[in-house]
């Protein structure tokens, strides 16, 4: 479409960067061909979804709307890449996803925070049954995670993989406490690194089975 040539960045915020003559051209196009312009800018979602076909994700186009299990372990996914992933999912990618593994990457608390809204009850990733993330999550991230779980996030989750992060007993206590109060009602297994005897006993009292690496 002609508007793709005028605004190749395909982001509405880019308009402020466009010279005035080109902005005037866009205004004329919008006035004369409103349906065309609306359709072109609606394709922003396609642009963001297609980001999942590129590194570090490298999904096939055929998987973008059909994948139920996604293993992205050890892909050097950092916080910036996770933002792209979250945007694609929020735009409609991976609607049938049930298992998501982001273990052994370079995801920090900040990156994890961008994904958390999608885990909320009735949001895009709320139906996950298995979930793993790492490897830069700390007690701070776990506390934030526990908070959204307490509000009803991930109600169908059966297994949670948190090994090889920087989470101490304190962070897992926050998670276990949330579970003890009704969060993650379906949780059957929690994978973590070398828990203390105290933590093991506490998780057992909350009916959480620990599996350690």
């Amino acid at each position: 479409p002609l508007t793709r040539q005028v605004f190749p960045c395909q982001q509405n915020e880019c308009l402020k960067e466009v010279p005035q003559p080109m902005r005037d051209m866009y205004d004329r196009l919008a006035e004369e061909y409103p349906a065309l312009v609306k359709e072109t800018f609606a394709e922003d979602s396609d642009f963001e979804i297609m980001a999942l076909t590129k590194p570090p994700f490298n999904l096939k186009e055929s998987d973008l709307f059909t994948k139920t299990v996604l293993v992205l372990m050890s892909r050097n996914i950092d916080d910036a890449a996770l933002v792209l992933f979250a945007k694609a999912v929020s735009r409609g990618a991976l609607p049938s996803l049930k298992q998501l593994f982001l273990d052994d990457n370079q995801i920090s608390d900040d990156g994890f925070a961008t994904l958390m809204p999608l885990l909320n009850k009735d949001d895009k990733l709320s139906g996950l049954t298995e979930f793993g993330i790492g490897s830069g999550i700390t007690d701070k991230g776990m506390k934030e995670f526990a908070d959204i779980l307490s509000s009803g996030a991930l109600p169908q989750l059966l297994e949670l993989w948190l090994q090889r992060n920087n989470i101490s007993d304190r962070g897992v206590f926050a998670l276990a406490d949330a579970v003890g109060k009704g969060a993650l009602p379906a949780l059957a297994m929690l994978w973590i690194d070398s828990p203390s005897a105290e933590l093991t006993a506490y998780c057992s009292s909350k009916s959480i089975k620990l599996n350690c690496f």
Side-chain angles (χ1 to χ4, degrees):
L2 180 58
T3 45
R4 286 200 182 280
Q5 300 173 34
V6 178
F7 304 112
C9 60
Q10 288 298 289
Q11 297 293 336
N12 291 337
E13 59 266 27
C14 288
L15 293 179
K16 62 186 179 183
E17 306 293 337
V18 177
Q20 188 61 48
M22 296 184 72
R23 295 175 64 178
D24 292 340
M25 182 187 298
Y26 171 79
D27 290 340
R28 290 196 298 273
L29 284 169
E31 183 176 348
E32 295 180 26
Y33 307 101
L36 171 64
V37 173
K38 182 178 180 181
E39 179 183 356
T40 299
F41 278 88
E43 292 175 3
D44 286 355
S45 60
D46 297 336
F47 182 81
E48 292 179 337
I49 289 171
M50 289 302 292
L52 297 184
T53 65
K54 298 176 172 57
F57 310 108
N58 296 320
L59 269 66
K60 298 178 181 177
E61 288 189 35
S62 58
D63 290 337
L64 290 174
F65 301 99
T66 60
K67 200 80 168 170
T68 58
V69 178
L70 186 56
V71 180
L72 294 174
M73 300 168 63
S74 304
R75 295 287 191 94
N76 292 317
I77 296 172
D78 58 13
D79 291 350
L82 197 62
V83 168
L84 296 178
F85 179 84
K87 283 184 177 180
V89 171
S90 68
R91 292 290 196 170
L94 305 170
S96 303
L97 198 63
K98 291 297 181 183
Q99 299 177 22
L100 174 60
F101 299 101
L102 294 163
D103 319 41
D104 296 321
N105 283 295
Q106 300 169 23
I107 301 169
S108 73
D109 294 336
D110 291 338
F112 192 14
T114 66
L115 194 65
M116 286 187 196
L118 298 174
L119 306 177
N120 278 322
K121 186 177 180 181
D122 300 324
D123 216 305
K124 302 291 186 179
L125 295 177
S126 62
L128 291 178
T129 58
E130 295 189 31
F131 176 55
I133 192 165
S135 57
I137 312 302
T138 70
D139 291 345
K140 175 180 177 292
M142 284 304 298
K143 176 61 170 63
E144 294 173 354
F145 187 39
D147 287 344
I148 71 158
L149 294 176
S150 295
S151 67
L154 296 174
Q156 301 175 44
L157 195 71
L158 298 171
E159 294 193 25
L160 178 59
W161 304 66
L162 296 172
Q163 73 281 359
R164 291 189 284 276
N165 278 291
N166 299 312
I167 305 168
S168 71
D169 280 6
R170 179 181 174 184
V172 184
F173 269 119
L175 174 64
D177 191 50
V179 172
K181 294 177 180 177
L184 296 178
L187 187 66
M189 185 81 70
L190 173 61
W191 298 76
I192 60 172
D193 296 312
S194 305
S196 66
E198 182 184 11
L199 178 60
T200 300
Y202 186 76
C203 288
S204 179
S205 72
K206 305 299 183 183
S207 300
I208 302 172
K209 183 178 179 181
L210 294 182
N211 212 325
C212 312
F213 280 80

